[in-house]
Each structure stands twice: as structure tokens, then as C-alpha cells.
Amino acid sequence: MSTPLETRLIRYDLALLCWAVLYPFLVPNFWVLNIGAPSLFFGLVALSLSFLAGYGGMVSLAQMTVAGVAGYALALTSVNAEAMGVPLPWPLAVAFAVLVAVLFSIFVGFLAARTEGIYLLMITLAIGMGFFFLVQQNDTVFNAFNGLQGVAVPQLFERPIRDEAHVFYFICLGVAAVFYAGIRYLVATPAGLALQAVRDDPRKAAALGYSVTAIKVAAFAAAGVPAALGGVLMVWYNQRISPGTVDLGGINAILIMAVVGGLRHPVGAFIGAVLYVLLQNFAGTIVGADRFNLLIGSIFLAVVLFSPDGLLGIARRLQAAMQSRRAA
């Protein structure tokens, strides 16, 4: 039987899903395509970080890099303006992009799984920056600084799905909902519980017969799938990919989304992504476009100092306070 906490969480999840389904019918197309869709595919990448950090205790700064690997693999196997790579039908291109990204994520896991704390953070950051410099300087395969432009997008009724705001939004929502539910299910399985045991006490988990390194690498592989699909949707949305996608700013953006929303809660990844995308679009009218980094940095610092559990932590404290007031 479900506990009262699990029942309440399921109720909240259903309420959020209903709101997400109704959202595109309540707002103009600008909000659907420029706020809703990016929040979902960035949220997928942040979700992979929340899974690793919240349930595995591994704060990886390579998740945007995993998304970028998938994005470049997709662009190279799709028709693009630079006529690079070998074009494939879009289902095969997506499958190839996800496979390459998951293999890359496993590689990152092998390098990072034997470390923890600041060392894991720095190794994953070094991998991310290494990939950034590779795509920025390689002109033969990745078209260097310019990246790959004019990437073909799947069509619906002879129109690219990117041009159909509601269609593209619901594709993003469907992928996000599947992986959100999948992670919520995974962490309650024996494999998920083993990962949490490794997070809480690696030595005790090893003494019980678990292979700590194998579990961590498997977690990186699992986290690579939503990050890869987030990268695929990002390329379809922009119809291009360039080194600027995977630079230090992109790496930091995913960390900010996950931390601000609530690093230990899967739904926090999407809450943080919504806030980040809103500020990205409207910072110019709030503080000026050139002060966007100052604004988002200040919010990040305030959350870290006053609510380590992110915006979800603030919401739960307010809810607890209201319940106490009612009881009084």
C-alpha cells in the first residue's frame, strides 16, 4: 500500500501533468514554443543531473555535454546546410544519437565513478570543457565555431514539427513525462535502492556485496538517456548546434536549473528550467540583457544560502507553516 507521502506526491504529479497538458490551450503560441518547449527539453537534461545527484550523490557537470554529444550525432546523421555527415532517416538518426550519447555517458562514468565530491565535479567539468574545445576547433567534422546549421526536422503533413507549436510542445511533454515517471519508478526498484545505498555509505554497500563502481557507471548510463533526448529535442528546436551550446555557460545553466528547482527532487529540474527560461526571455525588460548572468547568479546564491532544497524546499516550508497555522 502507498504511504500518505507517496499518495500526496502522486496527487501533486497528476496536478502538474494536468496543468502541463492544459497549458498550451491557455496561452499564446509564443509561450508554448519559446517558454514551454525549452523548459521541457532543458528540464530533461537537468533531470539527468538531479537523478545522479539526488539518488547517487554524484554532481556531474557533464550532463549538458552528453546532450551536446547527442545533438552533434543527430546533426551529423541528418540533412544539414553544411552537407556534412551521412544522412539517415530521422528514427535511425535519433537512435544513433542516443546510443552515442549513452556510450559517452558510460565513458564519463568510468572516469568519474572512482572519485567523489570535488574530484568528481572537476573531472566531469574537465570532460565537458574538453568536448567544447574539440567541437570549437575541429573544422572537418564539427564545422568548428560555426557549428552545424539548417538541421532537418521531422515533418508532419509536409510541415516541420518545429513550426507546429502545439505538436512540438506535446512531443517534448510526452518525452519528459515518460522519463520523469521512469525515474520515479526506477528509484523504488532494487537497482534504485542499491544506488541510494551507495550514495549513503559506499563502504557498507561494498561490504554487503554490491559493486560500487558498476552501480555508479550504470547510473551514468541511465542518466544519459534523458540527457540525450533533451539534446535531440534541443537541436530540432534550434535547427542547429554549435560549440556555444556546450560551453561553460551551458554547463552552468543545467546546474543552476537543478539546484534552484531542488536538486534532490526530479520535478525540481523542470521547475528550475521554467524559471531559467523565463528569465532568459524576459531579463532584458527586468534588469537589462547584459545583466542576465548577474540576476541568475544572485538567485542561485540566494537559493544555496537560504534554501538548499531549492524552490521546492521553500514551497514545502510555506505549506508546513500554513498547516501549523490552521491547526493552531
PDB file of all heavy atoms in Angstrom, residues 197-231:
ATOM      1  N   ALA A 197      21.821   3.260  -1.563  1.00  0.00           N
ATOM      2  CA  ALA A 197      22.694   2.690  -0.534  1.00  0.00           C
ATOM      3  C   ALA A 197      24.143   3.089  -0.790  1.00  0.00           C
ATOM      4  O   ALA A 197      24.880   3.424   0.144  1.00  0.00           O
ATOM      5  CB  ALA A 197      22.547   1.167  -0.514  1.00  0.00           C
ATOM      6  N   VAL A 198      24.544   3.072  -2.062  1.00  0.00           N
ATOM      7  CA  VAL A 198      25.902   3.510  -2.415  1.00  0.00           C
ATOM      8  C   VAL A 198      26.081   4.981  -2.099  1.00  0.00           C
ATOM      9  O   VAL A 198      27.134   5.411  -1.625  1.00  0.00           O
ATOM     10  CB  VAL A 198      26.163   3.216  -3.909  1.00  0.00           C
ATOM     11  CG1 VAL A 198      27.439   3.908  -4.382  1.00  0.00           C
ATOM     12  CG2 VAL A 198      26.251   1.716  -4.144  1.00  0.00           C
ATOM     13  N   ARG A 199      25.056   5.777  -2.342  1.00  0.00           N
ATOM     14  CA  ARG A 199      25.117   7.208  -2.013  1.00  0.00           C
ATOM     15  C   ARG A 199      25.298   7.426  -0.517  1.00  0.00           C
ATOM     16  O   ARG A 199      26.118   8.237  -0.085  1.00  0.00           O
ATOM     17  CB  ARG A 199      23.833   7.889  -2.473  1.00  0.00           C
ATOM     18  CG  ARG A 199      23.683   9.354  -2.050  1.00  0.00           C
ATOM     19  CD  ARG A 199      22.229   9.784  -2.091  1.00  0.00           C
ATOM     20  NE  ARG A 199      21.421   9.045  -1.118  1.00  0.00           N
ATOM     21  CZ  ARG A 199      20.092   9.080  -1.063  1.00  0.00           C
ATOM     22  NH1 ARG A 199      19.423   9.817  -1.932  1.00  0.00           N
ATOM     23  NH2 ARG A 199      19.439   8.386  -0.137  1.00  0.00           N
ATOM     24  N   ASP A 200      24.558   6.678   0.297  1.00  0.00           N
ATOM     25  CA  ASP A 200      24.575   6.896   1.746  1.00  0.00           C
ATOM     26  C   ASP A 200      25.837   6.371   2.410  1.00  0.00           C
ATOM     27  O   ASP A 200      26.367   7.015   3.325  1.00  0.00           O
ATOM     28  CB  ASP A 200      23.341   6.237   2.384  1.00  0.00           C
ATOM     29  CG  ASP A 200      22.044   6.890   1.934  1.00  0.00           C
ATOM     30  OD1 ASP A 200      22.092   8.070   1.520  1.00  0.00           O
ATOM     31  OD2 ASP A 200      20.991   6.227   1.988  1.00  0.00           O
ATOM     32  N   ASP A 201      26.314   5.204   1.978  1.00  0.00           N
ATOM     33  CA  ASP A 201      27.510   4.619   2.605  1.00  0.00           C
ATOM     34  C   ASP A 201      28.152   3.630   1.635  1.00  0.00           C
ATOM     35  O   ASP A 201      27.825   2.431   1.652  1.00  0.00           O
ATOM     36  CB  ASP A 201      27.135   3.916   3.912  1.00  0.00           C
ATOM     37  CG  ASP A 201      28.357   3.644   4.785  1.00  0.00           C
ATOM     38  OD1 ASP A 201      29.454   3.483   4.219  1.00  0.00           O
ATOM     39  OD2 ASP A 201      28.207   3.592   6.017  1.00  0.00           O
ATOM     40  N   PRO A 202      29.080   4.088   0.792  1.00  0.00           N
ATOM     41  CA  PRO A 202      29.694   3.198  -0.191  1.00  0.00           C
ATOM     42  C   PRO A 202      30.408   2.006   0.442  1.00  0.00           C
ATOM     43  O   PRO A 202      30.364   0.893  -0.094  1.00  0.00           O
ATOM     44  CB  PRO A 202      30.676   4.109  -0.933  1.00  0.00           C
ATOM     45  CG  PRO A 202      30.212   5.493  -0.672  1.00  0.00           C
ATOM     46  CD  PRO A 202      29.573   5.464   0.671  1.00  0.00           C
ATOM     47  N   ARG A 203      31.067   2.213   1.569  1.00  0.00           N
ATOM     48  CA  ARG A 203      31.806   1.120   2.202  1.00  0.00           C
ATOM     49  C   ARG A 203      30.866   0.030   2.696  1.00  0.00           C
ATOM     50  O   ARG A 203      31.134  -1.158   2.525  1.00  0.00           O
ATOM     51  CB  ARG A 203      32.638   1.661   3.362  1.00  0.00           C
ATOM     52  CG  ARG A 203      33.794   2.552   2.925  1.00  0.00           C
ATOM     53  CD  ARG A 203      34.636   2.994   4.103  1.00  0.00           C
ATOM     54  NE  ARG A 203      35.743   3.837   3.677  1.00  0.00           N
ATOM     55  CZ  ARG A 203      36.636   4.372   4.512  1.00  0.00           C
ATOM     56  NH1 ARG A 203      36.519   4.139   5.820  1.00  0.00           N
ATOM     57  NH2 ARG A 203      37.606   5.122   4.033  1.00  0.00           N
ATOM     58  N   LYS A 204      29.777   0.437   3.286  1.00  0.00           N
ATOM     59  CA  LYS A 204      28.823  -0.562   3.773  1.00  0.00           C
ATOM     60  C   LYS A 204      28.188  -1.301   2.598  1.00  0.00           C
ATOM     61  O   LYS A 204      27.968  -2.516   2.658  1.00  0.00           O
ATOM     62  CB  LYS A 204      27.747   0.113   4.622  1.00  0.00           C
ATOM     63  CG  LYS A 204      26.788  -0.866   5.298  1.00  0.00           C
ATOM     64  CD  LYS A 204      25.764  -0.122   6.147  1.00  0.00           C
ATOM     65  CE  LYS A 204      26.437   0.500   7.362  1.00  0.00           C
ATOM     66  NZ  LYS A 204      25.418   1.108   8.279  1.00  0.00           N
ATOM     67  N   ALA A 205      27.891  -0.565   1.507  1.00  0.00           N
ATOM     68  CA  ALA A 205      27.316  -1.207   0.326  1.00  0.00           C
ATOM     69  C   ALA A 205      28.287  -2.224  -0.266  1.00  0.00           C
ATOM     70  O   ALA A 205      27.891  -3.321  -0.677  1.00  0.00           O
ATOM     71  CB  ALA A 205      26.953  -0.155  -0.717  1.00  0.00           C
ATOM     72  N   ALA A 206      29.579  -1.862  -0.308  1.00  0.00           N
ATOM     73  CA  ALA A 206      30.586  -2.794  -0.818  1.00  0.00           C
ATOM     74  C   ALA A 206      30.703  -4.015   0.087  1.00  0.00           C
ATOM     75  O   ALA A 206      30.865  -5.148  -0.383  1.00  0.00           O
ATOM     76  CB  ALA A 206      31.935  -2.090  -0.945  1.00  0.00           C
ATOM     77  N   ALA A 207      30.609  -3.804   1.417  1.00  0.00           N
ATOM     78  CA  ALA A 207      30.684  -4.921   2.361  1.00  0.00           C
ATOM     79  C   ALA A 207      29.504  -5.878   2.207  1.00  0.00           C
ATOM     80  O   ALA A 207      29.621  -7.076   2.479  1.00  0.00           O
ATOM     81  CB  ALA A 207      30.743  -4.380   3.787  1.00  0.00           C
ATOM     82  N   LEU A 208      28.366  -5.345   1.729  1.00  0.00           N
ATOM     83  CA  LEU A 208      27.189  -6.187   1.508  1.00  0.00           C
ATOM     84  C   LEU A 208      27.237  -6.922   0.165  1.00  0.00           C
ATOM     85  O   LEU A 208      26.327  -7.679  -0.159  1.00  0.00           O
ATOM     86  CB  LEU A 208      25.923  -5.333   1.567  1.00  0.00           C
ATOM     87  CG  LEU A 208      25.568  -4.769   2.963  1.00  0.00           C
ATOM     88  CD1 LEU A 208      24.415  -3.785   2.853  1.00  0.00           C
ATOM     89  CD2 LEU A 208      25.215  -5.904   3.924  1.00  0.00           C
ATOM     90  N   GLY A 209      28.298  -6.683  -0.611  1.00  0.00           N
ATOM     91  CA  GLY A 209      28.478  -7.412  -1.865  1.00  0.00           C
ATOM     92  C   GLY A 209      28.151  -6.633  -3.116  1.00  0.00           C
ATOM     93  O   GLY A 209      28.230  -7.182  -4.219  1.00  0.00           O
ATOM     94  N   TYR A 210      27.794  -5.356  -2.996  1.00  0.00           N
ATOM     95  CA  TYR A 210      27.490  -4.549  -4.172  1.00  0.00           C
ATOM     96  C   TYR A 210      28.780  -4.047  -4.822  1.00  0.00           C
ATOM     97  O   TYR A 210      29.736  -3.701  -4.115  1.00  0.00           O
ATOM     98  CB  TYR A 210      26.617  -3.350  -3.811  1.00  0.00           C
ATOM     99  CG  TYR A 210      25.220  -3.710  -3.382  1.00  0.00           C
ATOM    100  CD1 TYR A 210      24.831  -3.614  -2.052  1.00  0.00           C
ATOM    101  CD2 TYR A 210      24.281  -4.135  -4.306  1.00  0.00           C
ATOM    102  CE1 TYR A 210      23.551  -3.940  -1.650  1.00  0.00           C
ATOM    103  CE2 TYR A 210      22.987  -4.463  -3.924  1.00  0.00           C
ATOM    104  CZ  TYR A 210      22.636  -4.364  -2.585  1.00  0.00           C
ATOM    105  OH  TYR A 210      21.365  -4.689  -2.197  1.00  0.00           O
ATOM    106  N   SER A 211      28.795  -4.002  -6.144  1.00  0.00           N
ATOM    107  CA  SER A 211      29.913  -3.400  -6.864  1.00  0.00           C
ATOM    108  C   SER A 211      29.629  -1.902  -7.000  1.00  0.00           C
ATOM    109  O   SER A 211      28.806  -1.489  -7.824  1.00  0.00           O
ATOM    110  CB  SER A 211      30.079  -4.031  -8.247  1.00  0.00           C
ATOM    111  OG  SER A 211      31.069  -3.336  -8.982  1.00  0.00           O
ATOM    112  N   VAL A 212      30.284  -1.117  -6.163  1.00  0.00           N
ATOM    113  CA  VAL A 212      30.007   0.315  -6.109  1.00  0.00           C
ATOM    114  C   VAL A 212      30.280   0.976  -7.455  1.00  0.00           C
ATOM    115  O   VAL A 212      29.464   1.766  -7.960  1.00  0.00           O
ATOM    116  CB  VAL A 212      30.837   0.972  -4.995  1.00  0.00           C
ATOM    117  CG1 VAL A 212      30.694   2.497  -5.042  1.00  0.00           C
ATOM    118  CG2 VAL A 212      30.405   0.448  -3.633  1.00  0.00           C
ATOM    119  N   THR A 213      31.407   0.641  -8.069  1.00  0.00           N
ATOM    120  CA  THR A 213      31.756   1.251  -9.352  1.00  0.00           C
ATOM    121  C   THR A 213      30.750   0.897 -10.438  1.00  0.00           C
ATOM    122  O   THR A 213      30.314   1.758 -11.213  1.00  0.00           O
ATOM    123  CB  THR A 213      33.167   0.805  -9.779  1.00  0.00           C
ATOM    124  OG1 THR A 213      34.112   1.203  -8.777  1.00  0.00           O
ATOM    125  CG2 THR A 213      33.540   1.426 -11.117  1.00  0.00           C
ATOM    126  N   ALA A 214      30.349  -0.379 -10.488  1.00  0.00           N
ATOM    127  CA  ALA A 214      29.393  -0.801 -11.518  1.00  0.00           C
ATOM    128  C   ALA A 214      28.057  -0.098 -11.351  1.00  0.00           C
ATOM    129  O   ALA A 214      27.426   0.304 -12.341  1.00  0.00           O
ATOM    130  CB  ALA A 214      29.195  -2.313 -11.447  1.00  0.00           C
ATOM    131  N   ILE A 215      27.604   0.075 -10.114  1.00  0.00           N
ATOM    132  CA  ILE A 215      26.329   0.750  -9.865  1.00  0.00           C
ATOM    133  C   ILE A 215      26.408   2.216 -10.299  1.00  0.00           C
ATOM    134  O   ILE A 215      25.484   2.753 -10.916  1.00  0.00           O
ATOM    135  CB  ILE A 215      25.939   0.625  -8.382  1.00  0.00           C
ATOM    136  CG1 ILE A 215      25.552  -0.820  -8.072  1.00  0.00           C
ATOM    137  CG2 ILE A 215      24.800   1.565  -8.034  1.00  0.00           C
ATOM    138  CD1 ILE A 215      25.311  -1.091  -6.614  1.00  0.00           C
ATOM    139  N   LYS A 216      27.525   2.864  -9.994  1.00  0.00           N
ATOM    140  CA  LYS A 216      27.675   4.264 -10.392  1.00  0.00           C
ATOM    141  C   LYS A 216      27.715   4.416 -11.910  1.00  0.00           C
ATOM    142  O   LYS A 216      27.100   5.333 -12.478  1.00  0.00           O
ATOM    143  CB  LYS A 216      28.948   4.847  -9.761  1.00  0.00           C
ATOM    144  CG  LYS A 216      28.841   5.084  -8.258  1.00  0.00           C
ATOM    145  CD  LYS A 216      30.104   5.749  -7.735  1.00  0.00           C
ATOM    146  CE  LYS A 216      29.975   6.098  -6.258  1.00  0.00           C
ATOM    147  NZ  LYS A 216      31.182   6.784  -5.745  1.00  0.00           N
ATOM    148  N   VAL A 217      28.448   3.529 -12.578  1.00  0.00           N
ATOM    149  CA  VAL A 217      28.519   3.596 -14.043  1.00  0.00           C
ATOM    150  C   VAL A 217      27.147   3.341 -14.652  1.00  0.00           C
ATOM    151  O   VAL A 217      26.746   4.008 -15.619  1.00  0.00           O
ATOM    152  CB  VAL A 217      29.556   2.590 -14.574  1.00  0.00           C
ATOM    153  CG1 VAL A 217      29.506   2.518 -16.103  1.00  0.00           C
ATOM    154  CG2 VAL A 217      30.959   2.967 -14.119  1.00  0.00           C
ATOM    155  N   ALA A 218      26.409   2.377 -14.092  1.00  0.00           N
ATOM    156  CA  ALA A 218      25.053   2.109 -14.581  1.00  0.00           C
ATOM    157  C   ALA A 218      24.162   3.329 -14.391  1.00  0.00           C
ATOM    158  O   ALA A 218      23.309   3.629 -15.240  1.00  0.00           O
ATOM    159  CB  ALA A 218      24.466   0.902 -13.858  1.00  0.00           C
ATOM    160  N   ALA A 219      24.348   4.060 -13.286  1.00  0.00           N
ATOM    161  CA  ALA A 219      23.567   5.276 -13.057  1.00  0.00           C
ATOM    162  C   ALA A 219      23.894   6.335 -14.106  1.00  0.00           C
ATOM    163  O   ALA A 219      23.000   7.030 -14.614  1.00  0.00           O
ATOM    164  CB  ALA A 219      23.836   5.818 -11.656  1.00  0.00           C
ATOM    165  N   PHE A 220      25.170   6.473 -14.445  1.00  0.00           N
ATOM    166  CA  PHE A 220      25.547   7.416 -15.508  1.00  0.00           C
ATOM    167  C   PHE A 220      24.907   7.023 -16.830  1.00  0.00           C
ATOM    168  O   PHE A 220      24.448   7.884 -17.593  1.00  0.00           O
ATOM    169  CB  PHE A 220      27.067   7.469 -15.648  1.00  0.00           C
ATOM    170  CG  PHE A 220      27.724   8.520 -14.801  1.00  0.00           C
ATOM    171  CD1 PHE A 220      28.189   8.218 -13.531  1.00  0.00           C
ATOM    172  CD2 PHE A 220      27.864   9.812 -15.264  1.00  0.00           C
ATOM    173  CE1 PHE A 220      28.793   9.179 -12.737  1.00  0.00           C
ATOM    174  CE2 PHE A 220      28.465  10.792 -14.488  1.00  0.00           C
ATOM    175  CZ  PHE A 220      28.933  10.479 -13.216  1.00  0.00           C
ATOM    176  N   ALA A 221      24.892   5.705 -17.122  1.00  0.00           N
ATOM    177  CA  ALA A 221      24.279   5.242 -18.370  1.00  0.00           C
ATOM    178  C   ALA A 221      22.791   5.567 -18.400  1.00  0.00           C
ATOM    179  O   ALA A 221      22.261   6.047 -19.417  1.00  0.00           O
ATOM    180  CB  ALA A 221      24.500   3.740 -18.527  1.00  0.00           C
ATOM    181  N   ALA A 222      22.089   5.314 -17.276  1.00  0.00           N
ATOM    182  CA  ALA A 222      20.659   5.601 -17.210  1.00  0.00           C
ATOM    183  C   ALA A 222      20.399   7.102 -17.342  1.00  0.00           C
ATOM    184  O   ALA A 222      19.450   7.524 -18.021  1.00  0.00           O
ATOM    185  CB  ALA A 222      20.081   5.077 -15.894  1.00  0.00           C
ATOM    186  N   ALA A 223      21.231   7.914 -16.704  1.00  0.00           N
ATOM    187  CA  ALA A 223      21.053   9.368 -16.786  1.00  0.00           C
ATOM    188  C   ALA A 223      21.357   9.890 -18.179  1.00  0.00           C
ATOM    189  O   ALA A 223      20.886  10.964 -18.560  1.00  0.00           O
ATOM    190  CB  ALA A 223      21.946  10.058 -15.759  1.00  0.00           C
ATOM    191  N   GLY A 224      22.146   9.133 -18.945  1.00  0.00           N
ATOM    192  CA  GLY A 224      22.495   9.583 -20.290  1.00  0.00           C
ATOM    193  C   GLY A 224      21.324   9.586 -21.255  1.00  0.00           C
ATOM    194  O   GLY A 224      21.312  10.367 -22.217  1.00  0.00           O
ATOM    195  N   VAL A 225      20.313   8.738 -21.002  1.00  0.00           N
ATOM    196  CA  VAL A 225      19.191   8.641 -21.950  1.00  0.00           C
ATOM    197  C   VAL A 225      18.334   9.908 -21.954  1.00  0.00           C
ATOM    198  O   VAL A 225      18.103  10.500 -23.018  1.00  0.00           O
ATOM    199  CB  VAL A 225      18.350   7.382 -21.673  1.00  0.00           C
ATOM    200  CG1 VAL A 225      17.222   7.269 -22.697  1.00  0.00           C
ATOM    201  CG2 VAL A 225      19.216   6.130 -21.717  1.00  0.00           C
ATOM    202  N   PRO A 226      17.821  10.381 -20.801  1.00  0.00           N
ATOM    203  CA  PRO A 226      17.042  11.627 -20.859  1.00  0.00           C
ATOM    204  C   PRO A 226      17.871  12.826 -21.304  1.00  0.00           C
ATOM    205  O   PRO A 226      17.356  13.715 -22.004  1.00  0.00           O
ATOM    206  CB  PRO A 226      16.533  11.795 -19.416  1.00  0.00           C
ATOM    207  CG  PRO A 226      17.422  10.954 -18.578  1.00  0.00           C
ATOM    208  CD  PRO A 226      17.834   9.811 -19.440  1.00  0.00           C
ATOM    209  N   ALA A 227      19.162  12.857 -20.913  1.00  0.00           N
ATOM    210  CA  ALA A 227      20.012  13.960 -21.368  1.00  0.00           C
ATOM    211  C   ALA A 227      20.158  13.936 -22.884  1.00  0.00           C
ATOM    212  O   ALA A 227      20.114  14.980 -23.547  1.00  0.00           O
ATOM    213  CB  ALA A 227      21.382  13.868 -20.697  1.00  0.00           C
ATOM    214  N   ALA A 228      20.321  12.730 -23.453  1.00  0.00           N
ATOM    215  CA  ALA A 228      20.465  12.602 -24.909  1.00  0.00           C
ATOM    216  C   ALA A 228      19.210  13.055 -25.634  1.00  0.00           C
ATOM    217  O   ALA A 228      19.275  13.796 -26.630  1.00  0.00           O
ATOM    218  CB  ALA A 228      20.795  11.154 -25.260  1.00  0.00           C
ATOM    219  N   LEU A 229      18.046  12.638 -25.156  1.00  0.00           N
ATOM    220  CA  LEU A 229      16.802  13.043 -25.814  1.00  0.00           C
ATOM    221  C   LEU A 229      16.543  14.537 -25.639  1.00  0.00           C
ATOM    222  O   LEU A 229      15.959  15.178 -26.512  1.00  0.00           O
ATOM    223  CB  LEU A 229      15.639  12.215 -25.278  1.00  0.00           C
ATOM    224  CG  LEU A 229      15.639  10.762 -25.793  1.00  0.00           C
ATOM    225  CD1 LEU A 229      14.608   9.926 -25.069  1.00  0.00           C
ATOM    226  CD2 LEU A 229      15.382  10.732 -27.296  1.00  0.00           C
ATOM    227  N   GLY A 230      16.968  15.086 -24.504  1.00  0.00           N
ATOM    228  CA  GLY A 230      16.900  16.534 -24.349  1.00  0.00           C
ATOM    229  C   GLY A 230      17.743  17.232 -25.405  1.00  0.00           C
ATOM    230  O   GLY A 230      17.339  18.251 -25.972  1.00  0.00           O
ATOM    231  N   GLY A 231      18.943  16.667 -25.690  1.00  0.00           N
ATOM    232  CA  GLY A 231      19.792  17.231 -26.734  1.00  0.00           C
ATOM    233  C   GLY A 231      19.175  17.110 -28.117  1.00  0.00           C
ATOM    234  O   GLY A 231      19.279  18.023 -28.938  1.00  0.00           O
TER     235      GLY A 231
END
